Amino acid sequence: MNRIQKFFTKIKGLLVHRFFQVLLFLILGLFAYGLMFSNVKPEKVQVELFKPAEQTIRSTKTVEDTYKTEQEKEEISKQVADVYTLKKEYAKNKVDLISSIFDSAIEVNKETDPERDKKEEGKEDKKEPIKTDAQKVSILKEKLTDEVNKNIEDSVFLALVQADEDELEIAKDSTITAVNNVMSSRIAASDVENAKKKVVEELGYMSINSDMKKASNSLARTAIIQNVFFDKDKTEEQRRKAVESVEPIRILQGQIIVEENQLVDRDVYRQLELAGFLSTESTIYPYIGLLLFILLTFGAFYYFFSFSISKRDNKYNQLLIFSLVFILSMATMKTVSVLADLKNSNLEYIFPGAMAAMLIKILLNDKLAVAMIILLGSYGTIIFNGDTPGNLDFSMGLYIIFGGLAAIIILSRPNFKSKVLIAGLLMSLINMAFVFSLIFIMDGHYTKMEYLYYAAAAIGSGVGSAVLTMGLLPFFEAGFGILSSMKLIELSNPNHPLLRKILIEAPGTYHHSVMVANLAESACEAIGSNGLLARVGSYYHDIGKTKRPHFFIENQMNEENPHDRLQPETSRDIIIAHAVDGGEMLRNHKFPKEIVDIAEQHHGTTLLKFFYHKAKKQDDTTVESCYRYPGPRAKMKEVAVIGIADSVEAAVRSMQHPTPEKIEELVSFIIQDRIQDGQFDECDITMRELSIVKHSLCESLNGIFHSRIEYPEPDKLGQKVKE
């Protein structure tokens, strides 16, 4: 174990105590708070009234400009026209009045008609007929009100009583029609005289005598009055609605209040005061907000690591790796942010945010990788707020989260874990598309050079994330003893010295190992275990056989079996030694512990039945335990599956004519034998998973040992060709 591993082992030993777990999260929180402290510090500006501004000032928040809002409301209120209401009943009243006057005149004429007196002769109380016009006018006035009499000239009354009934009817109808027509339209106070002229014009076509026409004109003019009046209540209602429709005038977040070298007049000064730039009081709210934000995020992670991860060693490993990747990413983020501020550019888009997601994805799991990228994206909105009004740049936070999630998805595809650089190139394209989407959504107007700059930054972020991931992985693997997918793929290279050693010195074992690898990988993936670990472990599980390759039957090419000349106990020691020797060889070559365990545990404590029975024939007192592998038994599902695949492959290969039925029977027997022998007692593999393993092995073996065409012998084949 190297020094780095020893150091981290000591730290993991401390993390067993809850005090040190809390202390670690406090250290991480303080580290994050220190990095983001300057980013939430309120900006102070130096401005003086009626002097040019030294810098461009943008509002850091959205506030209402109450002064301008009130001005706008007053202006809108003044623009609302007065509301005038048409009194439609006025027209009806005047028509009724004119009709009543004419009716009264007709009635008076009938009452004073001499012909009527003659018709009524012989009646009692006969009245003397009234024949003078003055008397008729007097009677007519009595039928009308004083107000009407006051407004109508006596000449009108005289004309009415002098006209006959037909003339009165004609005058009545014409006058009523004219008055009704004119009074039905809107007549303001200023329009009354014009309306009276209009009614006279309409009466100009009557076929009656001139006196009666003058009387009708006079009555019509008298009936024309103002019928439109100012409505105070409705006017106030309209003004109120207009004022309510006025949207409050706001100084928006990000809005430029004053540009550099622009004169600070009273209006600008007032806006700066509203936005809080002229306040001399220092505020602690941003610092409190940052503290609460960090407490919330790290409180959630503390809960997750304390209660959601059950395996203790795995928990502390994950906690330390997560902490280190977080510190490294935050330090990189702050460095890029400072450089962007110094150069006054959008350099932040080059930040390799996906690096953290890729490292956590490869070293730990998807769940923690997603949590990490969300955490970094949240903190990125604060750290990368240099050119953004306020303290949050949400576009940069989205950029980090989107890029990190894209990296996790890409690395989830088959074979991409071994191609991190290719994944980085794909992320570059995704980053570039996302950056341009943000630019277009915000409708920014940029030059071609600026577009090229953004594209280069996005590509740099993707490629940089991949390069940093590949560079940092070996340190994490060495420091924590982690067997990553990349390490497994490296060990699976056929040019690896130990694999070449097996191929050259024990070719039969090499072929057997490859077959076992194919079987074990498929079975492990079927039950959700690490298929890649099973494949690579299978390659090396019999590495110990290279010490004495010819003592194993797969390497005996038409040679005499040396075990025929050896005592059972000697053969036993040679066979059993390959597991122990294999583990020792792998340790000497600094192989991961998981691969070493596979070499030592794939036989568990199974019995060497052939040599045990051979010894039993020679000596009845032979003890069975002496002919068992020393173990230990399988601790992982992958080891259990490899052990089954190892026995199954060797047994099926020795069958003369394997059929699907025979293969299934053999696989079932081997699995049941191991269950009854207690070989899976220390492994968490279930009976259901063993059933799936059996099905997978049978499918793979049937594909390998499928029925083939019986080809004729060479001489017969030649004879058929000639024919």
Side-chain angles (χ1 to χ4, degrees):
M1 186 180 293
N2 55 38
R3 293 181 180 179
I4 298 177
Q5 284 182 317
K6 289 181 179 178
F7 173 74
F8 286 124
T9 301
K10 289 181 180 179
I11 294 180
K12 285 191 286 185
L14 293 174
L15 290 176
V16 173
H17 305 286
R18 189 173 296 275
F19 170 79
F20 288 101
Q21 296 175 23
V22 175
L23 181 62
L24 176 61
F25 277 98
L26 285 175
I27 292 171
L28 293 176
L30 289 173
F31 174 75
Y33 192 88
L35 290 183
M36 293 186 284
F37 181 84
S38 61
N39 295 99
V40 300
K41 186 177 181 181
E43 182 181 7
K44 296 294 182 182
V45 296
Q46 298 294 329
V47 292
E48 293 185 38
L49 189 61
F50 301 124
K51 287 188 177 182
E54 297 179 358
Q55 65 187 89
T56 298
I57 303 174
R58 296 175 181 268
S59 177
T60 59
K61 57 185 177 181
T62 297
V63 293
E64 181 182 351
D65 191 336
T66 54
Y67 177 76
K68 283 194 174 182
T69 301
E70 290 301 321
Q71 278 189 329
E72 182 69 15
K73 288 180 178 179
E74 288 179 10
E75 186 65 25
I76 291 294
S77 179
K78 289 178 181 178
Q79 292 176 5
V80 175
D82 292 339
V83 178
Y84 288 85
T85 302
L86 173 65
K87 301 291 187 178
K88 294 182 179 180
E89 64 273 17
Y90 280 21
K92 184 178 183 303
N93 293 341
K94 291 301 180 180
V95 167
D96 291 344
L97 175 62
I98 297 299
S99 179
S100 297
I101 292 172
F102 276 102
D103 288 343
S104 297
I106 293 171
E107 185 179 340
V108 169
N109 286 346
K110 285 182 178 181
E111 291 176 356
T112 60
D113 185 4
E115 296 296 327
R116 182 181 66 84
D117 293 338
K118 291 178 180 180
K119 293 175 183 179
E120 294 181 354
E121 287 180 0
K123 291 185 179 180
E124 295 182 359
D125 300 327
K126 181 177 67 173
K127 295 181 179 179
E128 289 294 330
I130 301 174
K131 297 180 179 180
T132 64
D133 291 336
Q135 289 176 325
K136 292 180 181 180
V137 169
S138 177
I139 294 171
L140 178 58
K141 284 185 176 182
E142 289 178 1
K143 292 180 178 293
L144 301 175
T145 63
D146 292 339
E147 185 178 355
V148 173
N149 294 332
K150 181 181 178 182
N151 293 327
I152 298 176
E153 297 176 356
D154 288 342
S155 60
V156 174
F157 289 125
L158 182 60
L160 290 174
V161 297
Q162 289 178 346
D164 58 29
E165 187 173 349
D166 292 336
E167 286 181 331
L168 287 173
E169 289 290 347
I170 294 171
K172 172 186 174 182
D173 293 339
S174 299
T175 305
I176 288 173
T177 301
V179 169
N180 186 63
N181 290 340
V182 174
M183 285 294 291
S184 296
S185 60
R186 300 176 67 87
I187 304 173
S190 58
D191 297 329
V192 172
E193 192 59 34
N194 291 332
K196 288 183 177 183
K197 290 179 181 180
K198 185 176 179 182
V199 77
V200 172
E201 290 176 0
E202 289 196 19
L203 291 173
Y205 302 102
M206 285 192 306
S207 300
I208 54 177
N209 64 66
S210 60
D211 292 338
M212 190 66 241
K213 183 178 289 188
K214 289 179 181 178
S216 296
N217 289 341
S218 178
L219 287 173
R221 286 176 59 84
T222 304
I224 300 304
I225 61 173
Q226 176 185 354
N227 63 359
V228 173
F229 297 91
F230 171 70
D231 194 325
K232 181 180 179 182
D233 292 337
K234 287 188 176 181
T235 302
E236 291 297 328
E237 177 70 14
Q238 291 296 324
R239 288 175 179 169
R240 183 182 62 79
K241 289 180 178 179
V243 168
E244 289 178 353
S245 67
V246 174
E247 292 291 335
I249 297 176
R250 295 182 175 90
I251 302 172
L252 301 177
Q253 181 179 2
Q255 178 181 327
I256 296 177
I257 299 177
V258 61
E259 293 186 352
E260 186 177 358
N261 296 324
Q262 179 185 343
L263 183 69
V264 179
D265 57 20
R266 292 191 182 279
D267 189 54
V268 170
Y269 195 82
R270 179 183 52 77
Q271 291 182 26
L272 289 172
E273 187 175 15
L274 279 174
F277 287 103
L278 304 182
S279 176
T280 57
E281 298 180 0
S282 59
T283 177
I284 62 170
Y285 290 117
Y287 309 119
I288 295 175
L290 178 61
L291 179 62
L292 289 174
F293 183 55
I294 291 175
L295 286 175
L296 285 172
T297 52
F298 279 102
F301 278 106
Y302 174 76
Y303 177 85
F304 174 78
F305 280 105
S306 297
F307 302 102
S308 298
I309 304 177
S310 56
K311 295 182 180 179
R312 295 180 60 184
D313 292 340
N314 192 36
K315 176 194 296 187
Y316 307 137
N317 244 14
Q318 290 187 4
L319 181 56
L320 280 177
I321 293 172
F322 190 91
S323 302
L324 288 174
V325 173
F326 173 77
I327 291 172
L328 180 63
S329 300
M330 287 291 289
T332 305
M333 190 186 297
K334 186 64 176 180
T335 302
V336 173
S337 172
V338 171
L339 291 175
D341 290 341
L342 290 175
K343 294 188 176 182
N344 195 24
S345 65
N346 290 321
L347 187 66
E348 61 266 19
Y349 284 103
I350 205 172
F351 169 64
M355 173 197 68
M358 296 173 79
L359 283 172
I360 300 298
K361 161 74 178 176
I362 294 171
L363 295 172
L364 301 179
N365 55 56
D366 291 357
K367 190 190 302 183
L368 287 174
V370 172
M372 172 63 80
I373 204 63
I374 292 175
L375 181 65
L376 291 179
S378 302
Y379 288 172
T381 61
I382 299 175
I383 290 182
F384 290 117
N385 66 351
D387 293 332
T388 306
N391 292 328
L392 298 173
D393 185 354
F394 291 105
S395 61
M396 194 61 200
L398 286 174
Y399 175 74
I400 295 172
I401 293 175
F402 193 88
L405 293 177
I408 295 170
I409 293 171
I410 291 171
L411 290 180
S412 297
R413 295 183 58 191
N415 302 323
F416 263 85
K417 291 181 180 178
S418 61
K419 301 175 183 177
V420 175
L421 187 57
I422 297 176
L425 293 174
L426 283 176
M427 280 189 296
S428 298
L429 297 176
I430 294 172
N431 286 345
M432 190 161 52
F434 188 75
V435 169
F436 285 140
S437 71
L438 290 177
I439 291 174
F440 295 152
I441 288 172
M442 293 185 290
D443 196 21
H445 301 285
Y446 301 95
T447 64
K448 291 182 179 179
M449 287 302 298
E450 286 175 320
Y451 281 120
L452 288 174
Y453 176 82
Y454 281 116
I459 293 171
S461 174
V463 175
S465 297
V467 171
L468 288 172
T469 299
M470 291 188 295
L472 291 170
L473 269 177
F475 293 98
F476 282 97
E477 290 171 353
F480 292 91
I482 293 175
L483 182 58
S484 67
S485 298
M486 292 189 66
K487 181 66 175 178
L488 286 171
I489 292 169
E490 178 187 339
L491 294 175
S492 67
N493 190 335
N495 292 319
H496 192 282
L498 285 187
L499 284 182
R500 291 191 62 82
K501 178 181 177 67
I502 301 173
L503 177 61
I504 294 170
E505 298 179 9
T509 298
Y510 181 84
H511 179 264
H512 162 72
S513 298
V514 171
M515 297 293 289
V516 172
N518 293 331
L519 295 172
E521 182 182 34
S522 298
C524 282
E525 289 180 350
I527 63 173
S529 294
N530 193 336
L532 183 58
L533 173 60
R535 170 172 286 279
V536 178
S538 298
Y539 287 158
Y540 294 95
H541 80 288
D542 278 343
I543 183 68
K545 291 181 179 180
T546 56
K547 280 197 171 183
R548 306 175 188 86
H550 298 293
F551 283 88
F552 298 89
I553 193 167
E554 66 265 23
N555 298 313
Q556 296 167 6
M557 305 298 181
N558 299 320
E559 298 177 6
E560 182 184 359
N561 190 340
H563 291 288
D564 294 340
R565 297 179 281 103
L566 297 177
Q567 291 297 318
E569 54 270 20
T570 305
S571 297
R572 173 201 63 192
D573 294 339
I574 293 172
I575 298 299
I576 288 176
H578 88 273
V580 179
D581 293 340
E584 191 62 31
M585 290 173 67
L586 293 173
R587 284 194 190 90
N588 292 337
H589 282 79
K590 308 297 182 183
F591 265 63
K593 182 178 181 297
E594 290 85 350
I595 305 297
V596 176
D597 289 343
I598 289 172
E600 290 182 335
Q601 299 175 14
H602 72 279
H603 282 296
T605 58
T606 55
L607 177 66
L608 289 169
K609 294 181 180 179
F610 178 81
F611 296 109
Y612 170 68
H613 291 300
K614 185 178 179 180
K616 192 73 172 175
K617 289 179 181 179
Q618 296 177 4
D619 184 4
D620 290 339
T621 62
T622 301
V623 180
E624 180 186 292
S625 59
C626 296
Y627 283 82
R628 285 185 175 273
Y629 281 93
R633 295 171 181 171
K635 308 292 185 189
M636 301 184 298
K637 293 180 182 180
E638 291 80 4
V639 180
V641 173
I642 290 172
I644 297 170
D646 181 40
S647 299
V648 165
E649 195 280 332
V652 173
R653 184 161 34 85
S654 65
M655 295 174 69
Q656 293 296 326
H657 299 286
T659 63
E661 293 75 16
K662 290 181 179 180
I663 290 174
E664 183 176 0
E665 183 179 353
L666 179 62
V667 174
S668 298
F669 172 78
I670 290 174
I671 292 176
Q672 287 299 322
D673 183 61
R674 293 213 167 202
I675 293 173
Q676 293 173 3
D677 200 28
Q679 296 303 314
F680 303 138
D681 290 353
E682 299 177 22
C683 175
D684 59 353
I685 194 167
T686 64
M687 295 298 295
R688 181 176 178 276
E689 288 171 333
L690 287 172
S691 177
I692 296 173
V693 168
K694 169 191 167 183
H695 180 72
S696 175
L697 291 175
C698 289
E699 279 191 345
S700 300
L701 289 168
N702 288 330
I704 296 171
F705 297 100
H706 62 276
S707 300
R708 292 178 172 85
I709 299 173
E710 292 288 343
Y711 288 99
E713 295 178 4
D715 55 342
K716 294 181 180 179
L717 180 60
Q719 185 178 354
K720 286 191 176 185
V721 171
K722 288 178 182 179
E723 294 176 354

